[in-house]
Amino acid sequence: MQQLYPQPVQTVDVEAVYAADQRPAPPDRPWVLANMVSSVDGATALDGVSGPLGGAADRFVFAAIRAVPDAILVAGGTVRSERYGPPRLSEASQRRRSERGQRRLPRLAIVTGSLRLDFDAELFRVAPRQTMIFTAASAPAGLRARAEQVAEVVETGDYTVDIGWALRRLRDAGVTTLLSEGGPSLLGQLVEGDFLDEICLTSAPLLVGGDSKRIVAGARPEPRRLRLDRVLAEDGVLFYRYLRDRRQGNSSAGI
């Protein structure tokens, strides 16, 4: 894989590049990065799932980014549609995480107000109670009791999940770097609260049309200015790393 920006490099060690990035956590929440994929025309899914948009290069970068965080945040709908399993990394990646003082595998944190999850799925069988679930007080009592058998359940609001509260709870649990893998509605909540510090975006060389969501859905905040940090490329696929530009007075001016 080659780097195009900020300076051309013919071959880069992808996992080392992402691991070396500086991600200073605020005192009251983790550093939040998102990893999303979209087609050139902005689609985030093909036939309801994101997998077909990616290829071998995207899977390689996906694994490199997954090796970075202490925990992975994902919405319940994405868990269902993408059939999430427990986080997996190569032995080499796990060893490097241990050398950095991290757990060998990141924890998974699921945001779901309804608790509509398959609690018999491999996700919950492989490492019982390693997964965190953020839910609302209004979730059905029966589903909550079932969830508590296989996961750490945290209530963060009456009818919907308070994402800011969830981030504070994760920080209290020792999570300093948090990776959000979507979907677009969850990313919208992070953008709306101005919690997003970094976006890693894969641009697939496809035109798919249809009515797929954009990478951010639902949020209508002031425009948030980003700064382009890096561009990688492989087989026509572009991998962008953007950082939130938090310089005073720069949230919307000039956009």
Side-chain angles (χ1 to χ4, degrees):
M1 187 170 294
Q2 61 180 316
Q3 179 174 286
L4 304 181
Y5 180 86
Q7 62 272 334
V9 180
Q10 191 60 37
T11 304
V12 296
D13 181 334
V14 175
E15 184 168 333
V17 164
Y18 282 98
D21 291 326
Q22 297 300 303
R23 297 181 174 90
D28 59 344
R29 64 169 178 84
W31 174 280
V32 181
L33 66 144
N35 184 26
M36 300 291 284
V37 60
S38 75
S39 64
V40 169
D41 58 330
T44 57
L46 189 59
D47 296 327
V49 293
S50 63
L53 292 176
D58 179 55
R59 290 190 290 272
F60 191 60
V61 171
F62 178 85
I65 295 173
R66 266 200 161 191
V68 167
D70 299 310
I72 298 169
L73 186 71
V74 63
T78 300
V79 171
R80 293 189 296 270
S81 63
E82 303 284 350
R83 298 182 179 179
Y84 260 57
R88 291 186 174 91
L89 295 171
S90 69
E91 283 296 324
S93 295
Q94 292 183 52
R95 183 176 63 253
R96 285 189 285 269
R97 285 175 59 87
S98 293
E99 291 169 353
R100 295 195 297 263
Q102 292 179 289
R103 296 164 58 113
R104 290 181 67 86
L105 292 170
R107 294 186 74 180
L108 192 66
I110 302 172
V111 175
T112 169
S114 68
L115 283 176
R116 290 193 301 111
L117 299 169
D118 180 2
F119 297 113
D120 294 317
E122 181 187 19
L123 168 62
F124 299 106
R125 296 198 315 271
V126 168
R129 297 195 61 78
Q130 289 301 305
T131 297
M132 297 179 72
I133 299 177
F134 292 101
T135 192
S138 58
L143 290 179
R144 176 159 184 160
R146 181 71 180 94
E148 288 174 340
Q149 295 175 4
V150 295
E152 179 183 349
V153 179
V154 182
E155 184 181 300
T156 64
D158 292 332
Y159 298 99
T160 58
V161 173
D162 182 332
I163 198 67
W165 197 99
L167 294 180
R168 290 191 293 274
R169 175 65 179 79
L170 285 163
R171 187 70 173 87
D172 290 343
V175 175
T176 60
T177 305
L178 179 68
L179 167 63
S180 172
E181 293 180 348
S185 295
L186 175 58
L187 194 53
Q189 294 177 60
L190 294 169
V191 170
E192 190 168 25
D194 203 12
F195 299 127
L196 197 61
D197 302 296
E198 172 184 352
I199 299 181
C200 297
L201 175 64
T202 299
S203 180
L206 296 171
L207 296 171
V208 303
D211 58 357
S212 174
K213 290 181 178 180
R214 295 153 55 185
I215 65 168
V216 177
R220 294 189 63 86
E222 288 186 18
R224 311 295 194 195
R225 178 170 286 281
L226 304 175
R227 173 173 60 84
L228 180 62
D229 179 74
R230 182 171 59 240
V231 183
L232 305 180
E234 177 91 352
D235 295 333
V237 183
L238 296 177
F239 302 91
Y240 300 95
R241 181 184 188 239
Y242 288 98
L243 300 177
R244 177 77 167 90
D245 190 341
R246 298 187 182 278
R247 290 175 295 181
Q248 186 174 2
N250 205 23
S251 61
S252 60
I255 295 180

